[in-house]
Amino acid sequence: MKGKGTGNARIPILVSACLAGIPCRYDGRANTVAEIATWHAEGLVLPVCPEVLGGLPIPRTPCELCARGVYDKNGTDMTEAFVKGAEKALALAQKAGTKVAILKAKSPSCGAGYVYDGTFSHTLCKGDGVFASLLLKHGITVCTEKTFKEVLAGRLSGKNS
Protein backbone atom coordinates (compact mmCIF):
# COMPACT_ATOMS: atom_id res chain seq x y z
CA MET A 1 0.00 0.00 0.00
CA LYS A 2 1.50 3.24 -1.06
CA GLY A 3 0.47 6.67 0.11
CA LYS A 4 0.04 9.45 -2.43
CA GLY A 5 3.40 11.08 -3.03
CA THR A 6 5.19 8.80 -0.56
CA GLY A 7 7.15 6.63 -2.97
CA ASN A 8 7.46 3.18 -1.45
CA ALA A 9 6.48 4.23 2.09
CA ARG A 10 3.84 2.05 3.66
CA ILE A 11 0.93 3.46 5.58
CA PRO A 12 1.14 1.93 9.08
CA ILE A 13 -2.31 0.40 9.52
CA LEU A 14 -3.38 -1.43 12.65
CA VAL A 15 -6.05 -4.12 12.25
CA SER A 16 -8.10 -6.26 14.61
CA ALA A 17 -6.21 -9.55 14.62
CA CYS A 18 -9.40 -11.54 13.99
CA LEU A 19 -9.91 -9.66 10.70
CA ALA A 20 -6.42 -10.74 9.61
CA GLY A 21 -7.41 -14.39 10.07
CA ILE A 22 -5.99 -14.91 13.55
CA PRO A 23 -8.39 -17.05 15.63
CA CYS A 24 -8.65 -14.83 18.71
CA ARG A 25 -12.38 -14.07 18.96
CA TYR A 26 -14.22 -14.89 22.17
CA ASP A 27 -15.30 -18.19 20.57
CA GLY A 28 -11.81 -19.09 19.34
CA ARG A 29 -12.56 -18.28 15.71
CA ALA A 30 -11.48 -15.51 13.32
CA ASN A 31 -13.52 -12.97 11.36
CA THR A 32 -11.25 -13.17 8.34
CA VAL A 33 -11.51 -10.47 5.69
CA ALA A 34 -9.58 -11.78 2.66
CA GLU A 35 -7.98 -8.46 1.71
CA ILE A 36 -6.84 -7.76 5.28
CA ALA A 37 -5.53 -11.33 5.68
CA THR A 38 -3.51 -10.86 2.48
CA TRP A 39 -2.06 -7.59 3.78
CA HIS A 40 -1.16 -9.38 7.02
CA ALA A 41 0.55 -12.22 5.11
CA GLU A 42 2.54 -9.59 3.21
CA GLY A 43 3.57 -7.81 6.43
CA LEU A 44 1.68 -4.64 5.54
CA VAL A 45 -0.46 -4.30 8.67
CA LEU A 46 -0.10 -4.60 12.43
CA PRO A 47 -2.63 -7.11 13.83
CA VAL A 48 -3.62 -6.73 17.48
CA CYS A 49 -6.25 -8.16 19.78
CA PRO A 50 -6.68 -5.83 22.75
CA GLU A 51 -8.70 -8.45 24.62
CA VAL A 52 -5.86 -10.97 24.45
CA LEU A 53 -3.33 -8.23 25.28
CA GLY A 54 -5.45 -7.51 28.36
CA GLY A 55 -4.94 -11.09 29.54
CA LEU A 56 -8.21 -12.66 28.42
CA PRO A 57 -8.05 -16.27 27.19
CA ILE A 58 -9.12 -17.78 23.88
CA PRO A 59 -11.89 -18.84 23.99
CA ARG A 60 -13.56 -16.61 26.61
CA THR A 61 -17.04 -15.82 27.84
CA PRO A 62 -18.73 -13.26 25.55
CA CYS A 63 -18.58 -9.68 26.81
CA GLU A 64 -20.57 -6.55 26.03
CA LEU A 65 -20.16 -2.88 26.82
CA CYS A 66 -22.70 -1.03 28.95
CA ALA A 67 -22.74 2.29 30.82
CA ARG A 68 -21.04 0.71 33.87
CA GLY A 69 -18.20 -0.89 31.90
CA VAL A 70 -17.57 -4.21 30.17
CA TYR A 71 -19.28 -7.30 31.58
CA ASP A 72 -19.27 -10.90 30.51
CA LYS A 73 -22.44 -12.90 29.97
CA ASN A 74 -22.21 -14.19 33.57
CA GLY A 75 -22.20 -10.64 34.98
CA THR A 76 -18.48 -10.51 35.81
CA ASP A 77 -16.91 -7.06 35.46
CA MET A 78 -14.19 -7.37 32.80
CA THR A 79 -13.55 -3.63 32.42
CA GLU A 80 -10.03 -3.74 33.86
CA ALA A 81 -8.82 -6.34 31.33
CA PHE A 82 -10.38 -4.40 28.45
CA VAL A 83 -8.77 -1.11 29.53
CA LYS A 84 -5.39 -2.78 30.11
CA GLY A 85 -5.51 -4.41 26.67
CA ALA A 86 -6.58 -1.18 24.98
CA GLU A 87 -3.67 0.68 26.57
CA LYS A 88 -1.17 -2.01 25.49
CA ALA A 89 -2.58 -2.02 21.94
CA LEU A 90 -2.44 1.80 21.81
CA ALA A 91 1.24 1.67 22.79
CA LEU A 92 1.91 -0.74 19.92
CA ALA A 93 -0.01 1.50 17.51
CA GLN A 94 1.91 4.59 18.59
CA LYS A 95 5.26 2.81 18.36
CA ALA A 96 4.40 1.75 14.79
CA GLY A 97 3.28 5.27 13.84
CA THR A 98 -0.25 4.10 13.11
CA LYS A 99 -2.62 6.70 11.68
CA VAL A 100 -5.47 4.34 10.71
CA ALA A 101 -7.03 1.33 12.42
CA ILE A 102 -9.40 -1.18 10.84
CA LEU A 103 -11.35 -2.71 13.71
CA LYS A 104 -14.03 -5.37 14.19
CA ALA A 105 -17.47 -3.81 14.10
CA LYS A 106 -19.77 -4.12 17.14
CA SER A 107 -17.03 -5.45 19.45
CA PRO A 108 -16.82 -4.20 23.05
CA SER A 109 -13.13 -3.46 22.34
CA CYS A 110 -13.06 -2.54 18.70
CA GLY A 111 -16.58 -1.48 17.74
CA ALA A 112 -16.73 1.92 16.04
CA GLY A 113 -20.00 3.82 15.92
CA TYR A 114 -22.12 0.97 17.27
CA VAL A 115 -21.61 -1.73 19.91
CA TYR A 116 -23.82 -4.32 21.52
CA ASP A 117 -25.68 -2.72 24.44
CA GLY A 118 -24.77 -5.04 27.30
CA THR A 119 -28.04 -6.99 27.40
CA PHE A 120 -26.75 -9.93 25.31
CA SER A 121 -29.88 -9.63 23.17
CA HIS A 122 -28.07 -8.69 19.92
CA THR A 123 -29.24 -5.07 20.41
CA LEU A 124 -26.94 -2.37 19.07
CA CYS A 125 -26.52 1.10 20.52
CA LYS A 126 -24.45 4.09 19.46
CA GLY A 127 -20.97 4.08 20.89
CA ASP A 128 -17.39 2.96 20.48
CA GLY A 129 -15.58 0.03 22.05
CA VAL A 130 -12.93 0.59 24.71
CA PHE A 131 -9.99 0.35 22.28
CA ALA A 132 -11.68 2.26 19.45
CA SER A 133 -12.49 5.10 21.85
CA LEU A 134 -8.88 5.25 23.06
CA LEU A 135 -7.53 5.37 19.50
CA LEU A 136 -9.93 8.16 18.58
CA LYS A 137 -8.85 10.17 21.65
CA HIS A 138 -5.27 9.89 20.39
CA GLY A 139 -6.06 11.10 16.87
CA ILE A 140 -6.01 7.75 15.08
CA THR A 141 -8.66 7.29 12.39
CA VAL A 142 -10.87 4.31 13.18
CA CYS A 143 -12.98 2.37 10.71
CA THR A 144 -14.42 -1.14 10.57
CA GLU A 145 -14.24 -4.04 8.16
CA LYS A 146 -17.42 -2.60 6.64
CA THR A 147 -16.04 0.90 5.96
CA PHE A 148 -12.28 0.53 5.53
CA LYS A 149 -12.20 0.66 1.73
CA GLU A 150 -13.86 4.06 1.53
CA VAL A 151 -11.81 5.43 4.45
CA LEU A 152 -8.51 4.28 2.95
CA ALA A 153 -9.49 5.56 -0.49
CA GLY A 154 -10.21 8.96 1.03
CA ARG A 155 -6.89 9.04 2.92
CA LEU A 156 -4.89 8.03 -0.15
CA SER A 157 -6.56 10.72 -2.22
CA GLY A 158 -5.92 13.29 0.52
CA LYS A 159 -9.61 13.79 1.40
CA ASN A 160 -9.40 12.42 4.98
CA SER A 161 -5.90 13.36 6.10
Side-chain angles (χ1 to χ4, degrees):
M1 291 181 292
K2 296 179 185 176
K4 186 176 181 181
T6 60
N8 290 325
R10 291 182 180 158
I11 301 169
I13 298 174
L14 179 142
V15 298
S16 290
C18 63
L19 299 177
I22 298 168
C24 57
R25 277 176 34 126
Y26 74 91
D27 60 4
R29 297 183 312 153
N31 285 310
T32 307
V33 173
E35 190 168 8
I36 295 171
T38 298
W39 293 343
H40 171 53
E42 294 172 356
L44 300 175
V45 295
L46 172 63
V48 299
C49 178
E51 295 174 22
V52 172
L53 288 172
L56 297 177
I58 304 167
R60 55 190 165 274
T61 304
C63 295
E64 290 190 4
L65 186 62
C66 67
R68 301 181 333 268
V70 182
Y71 288 79
D72 74 13
K73 197 169 188 167
N74 299 321
T76 304
D77 185 347
M78 304 301 289
T79 306
E80 186 177 329
F82 275 71
V83 170
K84 178 181 169 184
E87 290 170 348
K88 286 183 174 183
L90 172 65
L92 292 172
Q94 290 174 323
K95 184 176 180 181
T98 297
K99 302 293 182 207
V100 177
I102 304 169
L103 304 179
K104 177 65 187 111
K106 306 173 192 172
S107 158
S109 288
C110 298
Y114 290 91
V115 294
Y116 290 113
D117 71 353
T119 63
F120 296 92
S121 63
H122 301 287
T123 303
L124 291 173
C125 64
K126 287 188 177 185
D128 298 313
V130 175
F131 181 47
S133 179
L134 190 59
L135 290 175
L136 290 165
K137 286 179 187 170
H138 284 85
I140 296 172
T141 299
V142 172
C143 55
T144 71
E145 74 276 18
K146 304 197 184 301
T147 62
F148 78 94
K149 289 181 183 184
E150 62 197 49
V151 170
L152 292 182
R155 287 189 65 84
L156 291 174
S157 70
K159 292 179 185 174
N160 297 332
S161 323

Coordinates of all heavy atoms in Angstrom, one line a residue, residues 11-88:
I11 N 1.8 2.8 4.6 CA 0.9 3.5 5.6 C 0.8 2.5 6.7 O 0.4 1.3 6.5 CB -0.5 3.8 5.0 CG1 -0.3 4.7 3.8 CG2 -1.4 4.4 6.1 CD1 -1.6 4.8 3.0
P12 N 1.2 2.9 8.0 CA 1.1 1.9 9.1 C -0.3 1.8 9.5 O -0.9 2.7 10.2 CB 2.0 2.6 10.2 CG 2.0 4.0 9.8 CD 1.8 4.1 8.3
I13 N -0.9 0.7 9.2 CA -2.3 0.4 9.5 C -2.4 -0.7 10.6 O -1.8 -1.8 10.4 CB -3.1 0.0 8.3 CG1 -3.1 1.2 7.3 CG2 -4.5 -0.4 8.6 CD1 -3.8 0.8 5.9
L14 N -3.1 -0.4 11.6 CA -3.4 -1.4 12.7 C -4.7 -2.1 12.3 O -5.6 -1.4 11.8 CB -3.5 -0.7 14.0 CG -3.8 -1.6 15.2 CD1 -3.0 -1.2 16.4 CD2 -5.3 -1.6 15.5
V15 N -4.8 -3.4 12.5 CA -6.0 -4.1 12.3 C -6.4 -5.0 13.4 O -5.5 -5.5 14.1 CB -6.0 -5.0 11.0 CG1 -5.7 -4.1 9.7 CG2 -4.9 -6.1 11.1
S16 N -7.7 -5.2 13.6 CA -8.1 -6.3 14.6 C -7.6 -7.6 14.1 O -7.7 -8.0 13.0 CB -9.6 -6.3 14.7 OG -10.2 -5.2 15.3
A17 N -6.9 -8.3 15.0 CA -6.2 -9.6 14.6 C -7.2 -10.6 14.0 O -6.9 -11.3 13.1 CB -5.5 -10.2 15.8
C18 N -8.4 -10.6 14.5 CA -9.4 -11.5 14.0 C -9.7 -11.3 12.5 O -10.0 -12.2 11.8 CB -10.7 -11.5 14.8 SG -11.6 -10.0 14.8
L19 N -9.6 -10.0 12.1 CA -9.9 -9.7 10.7 C -8.8 -10.1 9.8 O -9.0 -10.4 8.6 CB -10.1 -8.2 10.5 CG -11.3 -7.5 11.3 CD1 -11.3 -6.0 11.1 CD2 -12.6 -8.2 10.9
A20 N -7.6 -10.3 10.4 CA -6.4 -10.7 9.6 C -6.4 -12.3 9.5 O -5.5 -12.8 9.0 CB -5.1 -10.2 10.2
G21 N -7.4 -12.9 10.1 CA -7.4 -14.4 10.1 C -6.9 -15.1 11.3 O -6.7 -16.3 11.3
I22 N -6.5 -14.3 12.3 CA -6.0 -14.9 13.6 C -7.2 -15.3 14.4 O -8.0 -14.5 14.8 CB -5.1 -13.9 14.3 CG1 -3.9 -13.6 13.3 CG2 -4.6 -14.5 15.6 CD1 -3.0 -12.4 13.8
P23 N -7.2 -16.6 14.8 CA -8.4 -17.0 15.6 C -8.3 -16.6 17.1 O -7.9 -17.4 18.0 CB -8.3 -18.6 15.5 CG -6.9 -18.8 15.3 CD -6.3 -17.6 14.5
C24 N -8.8 -15.4 17.4 CA -8.6 -14.8 18.7 C -10.0 -14.3 19.2 O -10.0 -13.7 20.3 CB -7.6 -13.7 18.7 SG -7.9 -12.4 17.6
R25 N -11.1 -14.5 18.5 CA -12.4 -14.1 19.0 C -12.7 -14.8 20.3 O -12.1 -15.8 20.6 CB -13.5 -14.5 17.9 CG -13.6 -13.5 16.8 CD -14.6 -14.1 15.8 NE -15.7 -14.8 16.4 CZ -17.0 -14.6 16.1 NH1 -17.4 -13.6 15.4 NH2 -18.0 -15.3 16.7
Y26 N -13.8 -14.3 20.9 CA -14.2 -14.9 22.2 C -14.5 -16.4 22.0 O -14.3 -17.2 22.9 CB -15.5 -14.1 22.7 CG -16.7 -14.4 21.9 CD1 -17.6 -15.5 22.3 CD2 -17.0 -13.7 20.8 CE1 -18.7 -15.8 21.6 CE2 -18.2 -14.0 20.1 CZ -19.0 -15.0 20.5 OH -20.1 -15.3 19.7
D27 N -15.0 -16.8 20.8 CA -15.3 -18.2 20.6 C -14.2 -19.0 19.9 O -14.4 -20.1 19.5 CB -16.6 -18.3 19.7 CG -16.4 -17.6 18.4 OD1 -15.3 -17.2 18.0 OD2 -17.4 -17.6 17.6
G28 N -13.0 -18.4 19.9 CA -11.8 -19.1 19.3 C -11.7 -19.1 17.8 O -10.9 -19.7 17.3
R29 N -12.6 -18.3 17.2 CA -12.6 -18.3 15.7 C -12.0 -16.9 15.2 O -11.7 -16.1 16.1 CB -14.0 -18.5 15.1 CG -14.6 -19.8 15.5 CD -15.9 -20.1 14.9 NE -16.8 -18.9 15.1 CZ -17.8 -18.6 14.3 NH1 -18.1 -19.3 13.3 NH2 -18.6 -17.6 14.6
A30 N -11.9 -16.8 13.9 CA -11.5 -15.5 13.3 C -12.7 -14.9 12.6 O -13.7 -15.6 12.4 CB -10.3 -15.8 12.3
N31 N -12.6 -13.7 12.2 CA -13.5 -13.0 11.4 C -12.8 -12.5 10.1 O -12.8 -11.4 9.8 CB -14.1 -11.7 12.1 CG -15.1 -12.0 13.1 OD1 -16.0 -12.8 12.9 ND2 -14.9 -11.5 14.3
T32 N -12.2 -13.5 9.4 CA -11.2 -13.2 8.3 C -11.9 -12.3 7.2 O -12.9 -12.7 6.7 CB -10.7 -14.5 7.8 OG1 -10.2 -15.3 8.8 CG2 -9.6 -14.2 6.7
V33 N -11.2 -11.3 6.9 CA -11.5 -10.5 5.7 C -10.3 -10.7 4.7 O -9.2 -10.4 5.1 CB -11.6 -9.0 6.0 CG1 -11.8 -8.1 4.8 CG2 -12.8 -8.7 7.0
A34 N -10.6 -11.3 3.6 CA -9.6 -11.8 2.7 C -8.5 -10.7 2.4 O -7.3 -11.0 2.4 CB -10.2 -12.3 1.4
E35 N -8.9 -9.5 2.1 CA -8.0 -8.5 1.7 C -7.1 -8.1 2.9 O -5.9 -8.0 2.7 CB -8.7 -7.2 1.3 CG -7.8 -6.2 0.7 CD -8.6 -5.1 0.0 OE1 -9.9 -5.0 0.1 OE2 -8.0 -4.2 -0.7
I36 N -7.6 -8.1 4.1 CA -6.8 -7.8 5.3 C -5.9 -8.9 5.6 O -4.7 -8.7 6.0 CB -7.8 -7.4 6.5 CG1 -8.5 -6.1 6.1 CG2 -7.0 -7.3 7.8 CD1 -9.6 -5.8 7.1
A37 N -6.4 -10.2 5.4 CA -5.5 -11.3 5.7 C -4.4 -11.3 4.7 O -3.2 -11.7 5.1 CB -6.3 -12.6 5.5
T38 N -4.6 -10.9 3.5 CA -3.5 -10.9 2.5 C -2.5 -9.8 2.9 O -1.3 -10.0 2.8 CB -4.1 -10.5 1.1 OG1 -4.9 -11.6 0.7 CG2 -3.0 -10.4 0.1
W39 N -3.0 -8.6 3.3 CA -2.1 -7.6 3.8 C -1.2 -8.1 5.0 O 0.0 -7.8 5.1 CB -2.8 -6.3 4.2 CG -3.5 -5.6 3.1 CD1 -3.3 -5.7 1.7 CD2 -4.6 -4.7 3.2 NE1 -4.1 -4.9 1.0 CE2 -4.9 -4.2 1.9 CE3 -5.2 -4.1 4.3 CZ2 -5.9 -3.3 1.7 CZ3 -6.2 -3.2 4.1 CH2 -6.6 -2.8 2.8
H40 N -1.9 -8.8 5.9 CA -1.2 -9.4 7.0 C -0.1 -10.4 6.6 O 1.1 -10.3 7.0 CB -2.1 -10.1 8.0 CG -1.5 -10.8 9.1 ND1 -0.5 -10.3 9.9 CD2 -1.6 -12.1 9.4 CE1 -0.2 -11.2 10.8 NE2 -0.8 -12.4 10.5
A41 N -0.4 -11.2 5.6 CA 0.5 -12.2 5.1 C 1.7 -11.5 4.4 O 2.9 -12.0 4.5 CB -0.1 -13.2 4.1
E42 N 1.5 -10.4 3.9 CA 2.5 -9.6 3.2 C 3.3 -8.6 4.2 O 4.2 -7.9 3.7 CB 1.9 -8.8 2.0 CG 1.4 -9.7 0.9 CD 0.6 -8.9 -0.1 OE1 0.4 -7.7 0.0 OE2 0.2 -9.6 -1.1
G43 N 2.9 -8.6 5.4 CA 3.6 -7.8 6.4 C 3.2 -6.3 6.3 O 4.0 -5.5 6.8
L44 N 2.1 -6.0 5.8 CA 1.7 -4.6 5.5 C 0.8 -4.0 6.7 O 0.6 -2.8 6.6 CB 0.9 -4.5 4.2 CG 1.7 -5.0 3.0 CD1 0.8 -4.9 1.8 CD2 2.9 -4.1 2.8
V45 N 0.4 -4.8 7.6 CA -0.5 -4.3 8.7 C 0.0 -4.9 10.0 O 0.7 -5.9 10.1 CB -2.0 -4.7 8.5 CG1 -2.5 -4.0 7.2 CG2 -2.2 -6.2 8.4
L46 N -0.4 -4.2 11.1 CA -0.1 -4.6 12.4 C -1.4 -5.2 13.1 O -2.3 -4.4 13.4 CB 0.4 -3.4 13.2 CG 0.6 -3.6 14.7 CD1 1.7 -4.6 15.0 CD2 0.9 -2.3 15.4
P47 N -1.4 -6.5 13.2 CA -2.6 -7.1 13.8 C -2.5 -7.1 15.4 O -1.5 -7.4 15.9 CB -2.6 -8.5 13.3 CG -1.2 -8.8 13.0 CD -0.5 -7.5 12.7
V48 N -3.6 -6.7 16.0 CA -3.6 -6.7 17.5 C -5.0 -7.2 18.0 O -6.0 -7.0 17.3 CB -3.3 -5.4 18.1 CG1 -1.9 -4.9 17.8 CG2 -4.3 -4.3 17.8
C49 N -5.0 -7.8 19.1 CA -6.3 -8.2 19.8 C -6.1 -7.6 21.2 O -5.5 -8.1 22.0 CB -6.5 -9.7 19.8 SG -8.1 -10.0 20.7
P50 N -6.8 -6.4 21.4 CA -6.7 -5.8 22.7 C -7.2 -6.7 23.9 O -6.7 -6.7 25.0 CB -7.5 -4.6 22.6 CG -8.1 -4.5 21.3 CD -7.6 -5.7 20.5
E51 N -8.2 -7.6 23.6 CA -8.7 -8.4 24.6 C -7.6 -9.5 25.1 O -7.5 -9.7 26.3 CB -10.0 -9.1 24.1 CG -11.1 -8.1 23.9 CD -12.3 -8.6 23.3 OE1 -12.6 -9.9 23.4 OE2 -13.1 -7.8 22.7
V52 N -6.9 -10.0 24.1 CA -5.9 -11.0 24.4 C -4.7 -10.2 25.1 O -4.2 -10.7 26.1 CB -5.4 -11.7 23.2 CG1 -4.2 -12.6 23.5 CG2 -6.5 -12.6 22.7
L53 N -4.4 -9.0 24.6 CA -3.3 -8.2 25.3 C -3.7 -7.9 26.7 O -2.8 -7.7 27.6 CB -3.1 -7.0 24.5 CG -2.3 -7.1 23.1 CD1 -2.3 -5.8 22.4 CD2 -0.9 -7.7 23.4
G54 N -5.0 -7.8 27.0 CA -5.4 -7.5 28.4 C -5.5 -8.7 29.3 O -5.9 -8.6 30.4
G55 N -5.0 -9.9 28.7 CA -4.9 -11.1 29.5 C -6.1 -12.0 29.4 O -6.2 -13.0 30.1
L56 N -7.1 -11.8 28.5 CA -8.2 -12.7 28.4 C -7.8 -13.9 27.6 O -7.1 -13.8 26.6 CB -9.4 -11.9 27.8 CG -9.9 -10.7 28.7 CD1 -11.0 -10.0 27.9 CD2 -10.4 -11.2 30.0
P57 N -8.4 -15.0 27.9 CA -8.0 -16.3 27.2 C -8.8 -16.4 25.9 O -9.8 -15.7 25.6 CB -8.5 -17.4 28.2 CG -9.6 -16.8 28.9 CD -9.3 -15.3 29.0
I58 N -8.4 -17.4 25.1 CA -9.1 -17.8 23.9 C -9.4 -19.3 24.1 O -8.5 -20.0 24.3 CB -8.2 -17.6 22.6 CG1 -7.7 -16.2 22.5 CG2 -9.0 -18.0 21.4 CD1 -6.6 -16.1 21.5
P59 N -10.7 -19.7 24.0 CA -11.9 -18.8 24.0 C -12.2 -18.2 25.4 O -11.5 -18.5 26.3 CB -13.0 -19.8 23.6 CG -12.5 -21.1 24.2 CD -11.0 -21.1 24.1
R60 N -13.2 -17.3 25.4 CA -13.6 -16.6 26.6 C -15.1 -16.4 26.6 O -15.7 -16.4 25.5 CB -12.8 -15.3 26.8 CG -13.0 -14.4 25.6 CD -12.0 -13.2 25.6 NE -11.9 -12.5 24.4 CZ -11.1 -12.8 23.4 NH1 -10.3 -13.8 23.5 NH2 -11.1 -12.1 22.3
T61 N -15.6 -16.1 27.7 CA -17.0 -15.8 27.8 C -17.3 -14.5 27.1 O -16.6 -13.6 27.2 CB -17.4 -15.7 29.3 OG1 -17.1 -16.9 30.0 CG2 -18.9 -15.5 29.5
P62 N -18.4 -14.5 26.3 CA -18.7 -13.3 25.5 C -18.9 -12.1 26.5 O -19.4 -12.2 27.6 CB -20.0 -13.6 24.9 CG -20.1 -15.1 24.8 CD -19.4 -15.6 26.0
C63 N -18.5 -10.9 26.0 CA -18.6 -9.7 26.8 C -19.3 -8.6 26.0 O -19.3 -8.6 24.8 CB -17.2 -9.1 27.2 SG -16.2 -10.2 28.3
E64 N -19.9 -7.7 26.7 CA -20.6 -6.6 26.0 C -20.3 -5.3 26.9 O -20.1 -5.4 28.1 CB -22.1 -6.8 25.8 CG -22.4 -7.8 24.8 CD -23.8 -7.9 24.4 OE1 -24.7 -7.1 24.8 OE2 -24.2 -8.8 23.6
L65 N -20.4 -4.2 26.2 CA -20.2 -2.9 26.8 C -21.5 -2.3 27.3 O -22.5 -2.3 26.5 CB -19.5 -2.0 25.8 CG -19.0 -0.6 26.2 CD1 -17.9 -0.7 27.2 CD2 -18.4 0.1 24.9
C66 N -21.5 -1.7 28.5 CA -22.7 -1.0 29.0 C -22.2 0.2 29.7 O -21.0 0.4 29.8 CB -23.6 -1.9 29.8 SG -22.8 -2.3 31.4
A67 N -23.1 1.0 30.2 CA -22.7 2.3 30.8 C -21.8 2.1 32.0 O -20.9 2.9 32.3 CB -24.0 3.0 31.3
R68 N -21.9 1.0 32.7 CA -21.0 0.7 33.9 C -19.7 0.2 33.5 O -18.8 0.1 34.4 CB -21.7 -0.3 34.8 CG -23.1 0.2 35.3 CD -23.7 -0.9 36.2 NE -23.4 -2.3 36.1 CZ -24.1 -3.1 35.3 NH1 -25.1 -2.7 34.6 NH2 -23.7 -4.4 35.2
G69 N -19.5 -0.3 32.3 CA -18.2 -0.9 31.9 C -18.4 -2.1 31.0 O -19.4 -2.1 30.3
V70 N -17.5 -3.0 31.0 CA -17.6 -4.2 30.2 C -17.8 -5.4 31.1 O -17.1 -5.6 32.0 CB -16.3 -4.5 29.4 CG1 -16.4 -5.7 28.5 CG2 -15.9 -3.2 28.5
Y71 N -18.9 -6.1 30.8 CA -19.3 -7.3 31.6 C -19.4 -8.5 30.7 O -19.8 -8.4 29.5 CB -20.6 -7.0 32.3 CG -20.4 -6.0 33.4 CD1 -20.4 -4.7 33.2 CD2 -20.3 -6.5 34.7 CE1 -20.2 -3.8 34.2 CE2 -20.1 -5.6 35.8 CZ -20.0 -4.2 35.5 OH -19.8 -3.4 36.5
D72 N -19.1 -9.7 31.3 CA -19.3 -10.9 30.5 C -20.7 -11.4 30.7 O -21.5 -10.8 31.5 CB -18.2 -12.0 30.8 CG -18.4 -12.6 32.2 OD1 -19.4 -12.5 32.8 OD2 -17.4 -13.3 32.6
K73 N -21.1 -12.4 30.0 CA -22.4 -12.9 30.0 C -22.9 -13.4 31.3 O -24.1 -13.5 31.6 CB -22.6 -14.0 28.9 CG -24.0 -14.3 28.5 CD -24.0 -15.2 27.3 CE -25.5 -15.4 26.9 NZ -25.6 -15.9 25.6
N74 N -21.9 -13.7 32.2 CA -22.2 -14.2 33.6 C -22.3 -13.0 34.6 O -22.5 -13.3 35.8 CB -21.1 -15.2 34.0 CG -21.1 -16.4 33.1 OD1 -22.1 -16.9 32.7 ND2 -19.9 -16.9 32.9
G75 N -22.1 -11.8 34.1 CA -22.2 -10.6 35.0 C -20.9 -10.2 35.6 O -20.9 -9.3 36.5
T76 N -19.8 -10.9 35.2 CA -18.5 -10.5 35.8 C -17.9 -9.2 35.2 O -17.9 -9.1 33.9 CB -17.5 -11.7 35.6 OG1 -18.0 -12.9 36.2 CG2 -16.1 -11.4 36.2
D77 N -17.5 -8.3 36.0 CA -16.9 -7.1 35.5 C -15.5 -7.3 34.8 O -14.6 -7.8 35.5 CB -16.8 -6.1 36.6 CG -16.3 -4.7 36.2 OD1 -15.9 -4.5 35.0 OD2 -16.4 -3.7 37.0
M78 N -15.4 -7.1 33.5 CA -14.2 -7.4 32.8 C -13.5 -6.1 32.4 O -12.6 -6.1 31.6 CB -14.5 -8.2 31.6 CG -15.2 -9.5 31.9 SD -14.3 -10.6 33.0 CE -13.0 -11.1 32.0
T79 N -14.0 -4.9 32.9 CA -13.5 -3.6 32.4 C -12.0 -3.5 32.5 O -11.4 -3.0 31.6 CB -14.2 -2.5 33.2 OG1 -15.7 -2.7 33.1 CG2 -13.9 -1.1 32.7
E80 N -11.5 -3.9 33.6 CA -10.0 -3.7 33.9 C -9.2 -4.4 32.8 O -8.3 -3.8 32.2 CB -9.6 -4.3 35.2 CG -8.2 -4.0 35.6 CD -7.8 -4.5 37.0 OE1 -8.7 -4.5 37.9 OE2 -6.6 -4.9 37.2
A81 N -9.6 -5.6 32.4 CA -8.8 -6.3 31.3 C -9.0 -5.6 30.0 O -8.0 -5.5 29.2 CB -9.3 -7.8 31.2
F82 N -10.2 -5.1 29.7 CA -10.4 -4.4 28.4 C -9.6 -3.1 28.4 O -9.0 -2.8 27.3 CB -11.9 -4.1 28.2 CG -12.6 -5.3 27.6 CD1 -12.8 -6.4 28.3 CD2 -13.0 -5.2 26.3 CE1 -13.5 -7.5 27.8 CE2 -13.7 -6.3 25.7 CZ -13.9 -7.5 26.5
V83 N -9.5 -2.4 29.5 CA -8.8 -1.1 29.5 C -7.3 -1.4 29.4 O -6.6 -0.7 28.6 CB -9.1 -0.3 30.8 CG1 -8.1 0.9 31.0 CG2 -10.5 0.2 30.8
K84 N -6.8 -2.4 30.2 CA -5.4 -2.8 30.1 C -5.0 -3.2 28.7 O -3.9 -2.7 28.2 CB -5.1 -3.9 31.1 CG -3.7 -4.5 31.1 CD -3.6 -5.7 32.1 CE -2.4 -6.4 32.0 NZ -2.3 -7.6 32.9
G85 N -5.8 -4.0 28.0 CA -5.5 -4.4 26.7 C -5.5 -3.3 25.7 O -4.7 -3.2 24.8
A86 N -6.5 -2.3 25.9 CA -6.6 -1.2 25.0 C -5.3 -0.3 25.1 O -4.8 0.2 24.1 CB -7.8 -0.4 25.3
E87 N -4.9 -0.1 26.3 CA -3.7 0.7 26.6 C -2.4 0.0 26.0 O -1.6 0.7 25.3 CB -3.5 0.9 28.1 CG -4.5 1.9 28.6 CD -4.5 1.9 30.2 OE1 -3.9 1.1 30.8 OE2 -5.2 2.8 30.7
K88 N -2.3 -1.3 26.1 CA -1.2 -2.0 25.5 C -1.2 -1.9 24.0 O -0.2 -1.7 23.3 CB -1.1 -3.5 25.9 CG -0.7 -3.7 27.3 CD -0.6 -5.2 27.7 CE 0.0 -5.4 29.0 NZ 0.1 -6.8 29.3

